[in-house]
Amino acid sequence: QLQFVESGGGLVQPGGSLTLSCAASGSTLDYYAIGWFRQAPGAKREGVSCISMTGDITVYADSVQGRFTASRDSAKNMVYLHMNSLKPEDTAVYYCAAGSYFCAEHVWPPRVDEFDYWGQGIQVTVSS
């Protein structure tokens, strides 16, 4: 069974950058689309980005478009979320996920139940 271990979160000042990593084990990620989600206190978990199973399509939420970049490395069985120009409103617990979700602009945003495997979540705090 696919399992993720997330790393790379922490405290960063507004305008700063962080890169989140998810290391997968138990199965190859090649069979799955990848999703990145976040959940702020008191809010629902929301989709941040998705990468198609083949890696040729990446979709972003409007709130992070142009600032975040999601990527996957099949050789290392890892996925990444590079976050630039961070804002206080980006503060949340971030999750990577894998599933059979069809990642495309016209079906955005994804639902949580469209992903089967989840990382443990990692805190990102943007504050001065």
Side-chain angles (χ1 to χ4, degrees):
Q1 182 166 340
L2 184 64
Q3 293 182 320
F4 283 115
V5 175
E6 296 191 46
S7 60
L11 173 64
V12 63
Q13 291 188 341
S17 300
L18 278 177
T19 296
L20 305 182
S21 302
C22 274
S25 62
S27 175
T28 175
L29 287 174
D30 291 350
Y31 302 140
Y32 303 101
I34 299 300
W36 283 97
F37 291 77
R38 68 185 180 187
Q39 189 166 15
K44 292 183 178 179
R45 194 169 298 186
E46 64 174 1
V48 174
S49 179
C50 67
I51 309 174
S52 64
M53 185 178 67
T54 55
D56 58 340
I57 298 172
T58 308
V59 181
Y60 298 94
D62 288 345
S63 58
V64 306
Q65 180 74 47
R67 300 188 297 120
F68 290 14
T69 302
S71 61
R72 60 193 299 167
D73 187 329
S74 293
K76 294 182 178 180
N77 219 29
M78 291 191 67
V79 296
Y80 305 95
L81 185 66
H82 307 277
M83 306 183 292
N84 297 318
S85 302
L86 283 160
K87 305 175 181 180
E89 52 264 42
D90 294 318
T91 295
V93 177
Y94 283 72
Y95 300 86
C96 59
S100 58
Y101 174 69
F102 181 72
C103 175
E105 291 271 2
H106 68 278
V107 296
W108 185 265
R111 300 192 316 268
V112 168
D113 63 3
E114 292 179 296
F115 290 84
D116 301 307
Y117 306 102
W118 290 83
Q120 81 276 17
I122 195 161
Q123 179 69 44
V124 171
T125 302
V126 185
S127 175
S128 55

